Structures are given as structure tokens and as C-alpha cells.
Amino acid sequence: MISHAKNWAKRHWPRLSLRTYLFASFFLVAALPGVGAVALRVYENTLVRQTEAELEAQGAVLAASAAILWPDAPPGRPVTRFAPRTIGPYGGAVDTAVDLSATPILPERPKPRPSGAPSPDARSAAERLLPVLAATRNATLASIILLDRDGRIVTGSPDRGSYADLPEVAAALAGAPRTVLRRNSDYRAVFRFDWLSRAAATRVHYARPILVGDRVVGVVLVSRSARSLFVGLYQDWGKIVIGIAAILAALILLSGLLSRGIARPIEELQDAARDVAAGRGTVPAIPATAATEIQDLYRDFTVMAEAIEARSLYLRNFAHAVSHEFKTPLTGIRGAIELLQDHGATMSDAERRRFLANADADAGRLTLLVSRLLDLARADMTSAADGESDVVGVALKLADAHRRNGISIAVEADAPQVRVVIAPEPLEAVLTTLIENGLQAGADRITIRVEATAPVVVHVIDNGAGIPPGDRDRIFEPFFTSRRTSGGTGLGLSIARALLAGSGGTLDLAEAERGTTMRLTLPARQR
């Protein structure tokens, strides 16, 4: 099921720019606190708790005033339990706390249960307390009801009866203040989105016991609706707009900075990639404002573009050289065939054999060229670093193999064994090419000197005729040879260099007073 959902998302995912992703991510992160505050009712909960705190303060003052004004009377209800009291965030005592996400909202407060007349002491206290209750009601717009020790209404309600069955009143009669949330049927929606508010149609009810000594002689029941969420938002709309504007400005600024640091450099690099692929244009300069990873990407792309350009140039030159090398023998074969076709009947046997021999020689050269080209292709594609070998042992083996040719090959080494990161076969092929080049140059003495350094350096020194100064810069070019008439293809050194490159080695021409000195560098095998 998850794979199906992922496949569906891939098929329908829109093509978006990096700037869109950045701005959408910032906008989502910036909006999350606001969305979370609404979803978790943080602001609305704060409004309700503020109302609860105000009712607690009113109830505490009214209860204390009533206790002072309460006349001598028969003993009231003993306090059977006490509500736990906790310390608020600013050091004040908090008796109870409502939470819109956890506190249940009870039905609207029902009509009082019929009962007898309130106690005389409660009526006497109510008469003294009436001015305080009226002033408080006018100032706070809260509903204030005074109950006696049995929960019977004394004042504050047009109805007469008992609220002793209400849970908040029952708790207060037992000596514990209690806050509950109840529905408010008189509420009418004012704002279009009031349905989003859980507290819009609720009312906070708080019951506080009146204590004289350790006896409950009455209860103060106060209630009021909390300030509506949208009323609060409307009243604070200026601050909210300023906050939203500041957040949007910060988002635009951050998006612009990241656009200059990420999006714009990537777009420029994308355009440069198209130009390089089309064979035109160059990589732009590294933007100073780009991220370090983007700058590294520019450097790597520059190296890649230079390597592609060098490879393209090499392929163009190589194709030109191949066509030139193949053109000469093909022209000779074609000429011989045309002569035999036109004058074969009138030619002598000697002339016919001579033309056929020339065509056969040109065909043999083509065959050799094809074979060497295949060797060069294999050398370019083969990694010679898959094994290791002893360069001293390989050199001694080749010295023994060429001894029958009347040539002296000396091997000089700093150690009996020098291990290098290259397979024995390609190393042997490279050294063989260098020895044969020395033989073709007329050398009769060759020295292979092995230096056990890191990397390992190998010098192949011969006492032949050497390389003319004008040819020293071209000897590694494919098809360049000064012995074309003797069958040279000009691919031996190119193949040797390609074989060494596969293992991380190099092949260069070193300075020499006499003859030729070739220098090999090979990666040493770490012990």
C-alpha cells in the first residue's frame, strides 16, 4: 500500500523550482507555531484560564468579605476535605485549572432544586453583603450567587431553591473550591468562524466556600463567559498583522539569501552544463555568495569540463591520425588493385608479384595498426591496479629473456624486492616496450634502476642513438614514429602510458647526456 501511494505521488508530483521548495519550507515552518497554537487551543486556553483566575480572585475576596460579615450562627458544615493547592508560574497559589483539551464541558446549569428557605444567618449576611455583591457584579459583569451551608440560594438569582446537587457546589460545601465549564445556551455566534472555537459557547463556573473558623457556612458561586477567541484576535489584530508582516519579511529575506547562495548558482551551473554539452561556452566563475558545497561543485564541474575538453581534443586528433595512418596503406592497396585490373593481362609475372607483395605489405601494416589500436583501447579501459607485483623480479625476468639477443640488461635496485600496485602483466608489457624501443635505437646496453621510494621510481636507461630534440615533445602522441619505414606504428609509448595510468602511475622522458632515459613512477604497496 505504501509503495502504491509513493508511486501515485511520483506520478502526480508537480515540477517545482528550488526557490519554491525553499519558500514553501520556510513558510510552513513559520506557520507551524500559529497553526499549532490554534490546533492545540493555546491562545483560547489562555483566555479561559485568565477568566478562571479572575473568578477565583473575585470569589476569594467575596468569600473573605462574607466570612467577616457573617453573624453568629449555629455551626456550619465541617470541612471534610481540602483541594490541593499548587504554586503558579509567578508564585501565586492556583486551586484548580481548566484545560479546553481535557476538561469536559458540562450541560448548562439546571434550574435549582426546590427546597426550603435559606438559613437566617445566611439571609442576615446577604443583607450586609448586598452592596459589595452589586458593585462587584457591575464592575466584572459576572453572575454572583450566594448560597447557605445547605446549598440553598440566598441572593443573586431570581429563582429560589438549592444547587447542592451541582458538582462544583458539592465540592465547595465540602471545603474545596471547584471550577467547571458549562454550556451557555444564550450565546449567539458573532463571527463567521466561531465554530472553530470550543470555548465560544461555554461559561466558566467557580464555587468558593465561605469559611468561618473550620466550618463551611456558605458558598459563593460566580460565573462568566470567557473572552471569545476571535474577539481577542480582533482586539490584537494590529500586533498580529505586525507579526505576520515581520515573519513574511524574514521569509522573503531568507529566501533571497538562499536563492543567491543555492538556487541561482545551480541555475547558472545548469546553463553552463548545457553549453559544455553542446561544445561551446565555459564554466562561469565561482559565485562568492554561494554555499561552500556549491563552490566545491563548481570546482569539480570545472575539472570535469576541462577533462571533457581535453578528451574531445584527444579524440579529434586521434581520429585525424587514424584516418591519416589508414589512408596510406589503403591508397597503396587500391592502386595495386587498379593496376592489376587495368594492366594485369599485359604484366609480366615479376611485375604482378611485385604489386601483390606491395598490397600484402600494406595489408599487413593495416593488420598491425588494428591490433595496436585494440591494445590501446584495452589499456585505456583496463585497471591495472587490481593486483601487485615485484618490479625487481619482473625486471630480472626480462633481462634473462633478452640475453639471447646479444644485449646487456643490468638491474639495479635499492632492495631485493620492491612491491608496487600494478599487476605483473601490464608492468611487463611496459618494460618490454621500453626495451624494444632501445633495441630499435641501436642500444646494446640497458640499465633498469629501481628506487625504493614512495612512489617507486624506475629509470630505464639505454645507450642508443637517443631522441632528436625536435621529437622529444611528440614521442607520446599516437602514431608518431621516426621508424615508419621499419614497421613502427607509433603506438607503443601511448599504450605503455595508458597501462600505467590505470594503476595511478606515470611515464615520462627524463634528461640524459647519452641515449634515452625513461622514468616510471609507480604507487608503492603499503605494508
Side-chain angles (χ1 to χ4, degrees), residues 383-457:
S383 174
D386 296 335
E388 64 176 274
S389 59
D390 175 21
V391 64
V392 178
V394 173
L396 292 174
K397 175 183 176 182
L398 294 178
D400 293 337
H402 287 82
R403 189 171 298 162
R404 62 180 182 274
N405 296 330
I407 184 174
S408 173
I409 300 179
V411 179
E412 301 176 359
D414 295 344
Q417 284 190 343
V418 179
R419 311 295 297 183
V420 292
V421 184
I422 184 174
E425 292 79 9
L427 177 59
E428 185 175 337
V430 171
L431 293 177
T432 299
T433 297
L434 300 180
I435 292 173
E436 290 179 351
N437 284 354
L439 292 176
Q440 293 175 2
D444 59 4
R445 187 174 67 257
I446 296 177
T447 301
I448 302 177
R449 183 177 300 152
V450 182
E451 300 176 6
T453 57
V456 176
V457 179

Side-chain angles (χ1 to χ4, degrees), residues 37 52 62-63 68 103 118 154 178 205 227 232-233 269 284 308 327 331 395 410 445 452 478:
E52 178 195 16
L62 293 176
I68 294 174
T103 303
V154 181
R178 175 77 179 275
H205 292 253
R227 188 173 61 160
L233 294 177
L269 193 61
I308 291 175
K327 184 177 180 180
T331 301
R445 187 174 67 257

Side-chain angles (χ1 to χ4, degrees), residues 58 62 129-142 144:
Q58 294 174 29
L62 293 176
L129 200 61
L130 277 177
V132 177
L133 297 179
T136 305
R137 188 181 300 110
N138 293 333
T140 63
L141 302 180
I144 305 174

Side-chain angles (χ1 to χ4, degrees), residues 290-354:
T292 55
E293 293 81 2
I294 302 296
Q295 293 182 359
D296 292 340
L297 181 62
Y298 266 74
R299 295 187 185 94
D300 294 340
F301 189 84
T302 300
V303 173
M304 182 189 69
E306 292 174 352
I308 291 175
E309 178 63 25
R311 194 66 176 174
S312 299
L313 180 61
Y314 170 80
L315 290 176
R316 288 195 297 269
N317 295 337
F318 187 80
H320 177 73
V322 168
S323 62
H324 180 270
E325 292 295 324
F326 275 56
K327 184 177 180 180
T328 301
L330 285 174
T331 301
I333 294 174
R334 186 179 183 86
I337 292 174
E338 290 178 353
L339 287 173
L340 290 172
Q341 288 176 340
D342 295 340
H343 307 286
T346 60
M347 284 184 182
S348 62
D349 292 339
E351 291 175 334
R352 190 179 294 109
R353 284 194 297 271
R354 179 164 59 85

